[in-house]
Amino acid sequence: MAFSVGTLTDYVKQKADEIVASSLFSAKTQELIQSSGNVMVEVKSAQTINIMDTDAAFQDDSGCGFNASGTTSFTQRTLTVGKIKVQEALCPKDLEAKYLQEALKAGTNQDSIPFEAAYMDRKSGKVAEQLEVALWQGDTTSGNINLNKFDGFQKIINNAAGVVDANTTPYVSATVTSITVANVLSVLKGIKNAIPARVMGKEDLVIFCGWDIFNSVVDAHVNANLFNYGSQNIGNGEFTIPGTNYKVIAVHGLDGTSDLYAIRLSNMYFGTDLVSDETTADMWFSQDNRNVKYHLAFKAGVQVAFPSEIVKFIV
């Protein structure tokens, strides 16, 4: 006699109390803007960035008298937020026929889901991930539902008058059509040389790029042995160009775009209704539908104040 198990599938142990989540990246761009203090709150739809400028006309003071001269001007740029919500309905009964049944509490009436804390953490991570991309690549004309709620920095900067284009002569010898390890140092040099004199040396001036371009920057400097490894914060996506105080900062919002932007953090604005909105979600059991519902709503938008102080390198 022997066991007859030919009709059974091979057993694979599944632990219902362990769910593995993939890596998520945070909204680093938003964090940097917040650190510079340029967060506009209570924006329900749109709000202006009010800009004042003035000149100072020197006069000969060898005699008495008062001769008025000079002009003080006021301009505005409008920050428009997108109104965003994330909602999901989860039916605990869908888990009953799967290995996840082991994580369900006893009884037919299920009024919660297992792994609720892990679910909420994962959801908030996804929101941060998608917001980071939208802050840069947002375009209200896009067919991508995660990008068409507001215009991001790329569209705003690329369409603004006065932005310096570094992918032109005399900043580069010829128009760059693809950024590689071989030419990325020339690209950075072109961006550095294109920075307007009035913002050169400013401590909050950074060069933003995607992580793919950032890796090429690091490789190029390693190959040329141009920096001290100990002085860099490469693991966090920050690299200081040797001989300057300009940081190259990698953000996932620019991954895959091959675009770089030199801009002061104080020139970047993030608008929302309430700063905590995007981190405050509701989750409840619906008596009507007999399922668990998730809801998150927030507003978000970006703008720049001085386009003429920005350098773009578009491939």
Side-chain angles (χ1 to χ4, degrees), residues 55-76:
D55 56 14
F58 286 7
Q59 300 182 36
D60 182 4
D61 191 33
S62 58
C64 298
F66 183 89
N67 299 304
S69 64
T71 302
T72 297
S73 60
F74 296 89
T75 57
Q76 295 178 322

Side-chain angles (χ1 to χ4, degrees), residues 166-295:
N167 196 7
T168 58
T169 53
Y171 309 116
V172 291
S173 58
T175 301
V176 176
T177 58
S178 177
I179 298 178
T180 65
V181 174
N183 67 13
V184 72
L185 295 185
S186 297
V187 169
L188 288 181
K189 182 179 179 181
I191 295 172
K192 177 181 70 68
N193 292 338
I195 295 172
R198 61 184 174 277
V199 295
M200 283 185 175
K202 299 297 183 182
E203 291 184 357
D204 65 338
L205 181 65
V206 302
I207 300 173
F208 284 106
C209 67
W211 275 89
D212 44 356
I213 298 299
F214 182 81
N215 285 335
S216 294
V217 171
V218 173
D219 288 347
H221 282 86
V222 170
N223 293 345
N225 194 27
L226 291 177
F227 71 95
N228 180 350
Y229 295 90
S231 65
Q232 301 294 338
N233 194 14
I234 294 173
N236 289 328
E238 297 183 3
F239 174 86
T240 302
I241 300 176
T244 76
N245 65 335
Y246 303 139
K247 279 186 177 181
V248 179
I249 296 183
V251 290
H252 287 292
L254 287 173
D255 287 351
T257 67
S258 294
D259 296 341
L260 298 92
Y261 298 90
I263 184 172
R264 297 185 65 186
L265 295 178
S266 57
N267 196 11
M268 305 172 74
Y269 287 78
F270 173 78
T272 187
D273 197 344
L274 188 64
V275 174
S276 61
D277 276 349
E278 70 196 63
T279 60
T280 305
D282 295 321
M283 199 165 190
W284 70 97
F285 177 71
S286 171
Q287 293 282 359
D288 293 333
N289 305 109
R290 310 302 296 176
N291 58 16
V292 177
K293 293 183 176 180
Y294 171 92
H295 170 80

Side-chain angles (χ1 to χ4, degrees), residues 24 57 79 130 148 151 272 282 292:
L24 293 174
L79 187 154
Q130 291 167 187
N148 63 15
D151 288 332
T272 187
D282 295 321
V292 177

Side-chain angles (χ1 to χ4, degrees), residues 9 21 30 48 51 84 87 102 116 140 143-145 165 195 203 211 228 240 250 263-264 300 306:
T9 58
Q30 181 186 356
T48 58
I51 304 164
I84 304 165
Q87 295 178 325
E102 298 177 20
E116 184 171 309
T140 54
N144 186 326
I145 61 173
D165 185 358
I195 295 172
E203 291 184 357
W211 275 89
N228 180 350
T240 302
I263 184 172
R264 297 185 65 186
F306 305 103

Side-chain angles (χ1 to χ4, degrees), residues 45 77-84 131-142 146-159 269-271 300-304:
S45 178
R77 290 185 62 82
T78 301
L79 187 154
T80 302
V81 297
K83 302 175 181 179
I84 304 165
L131 180 59
E132 168 66 18
V133 177
L135 291 180
W136 284 99
Q137 300 182 38
D139 185 343
T140 54
T141 65
S142 172
N146 290 331
L147 297 179
N148 63 15
K149 301 303 182 288
F150 59 90
D151 288 332
F153 284 119
Q154 277 190 296
K155 181 178 178 180
I156 291 170
I157 294 173
N158 294 348
N159 292 340
Y269 287 78
F270 173 78
V302 296
Q303 186 54 275
V304 298

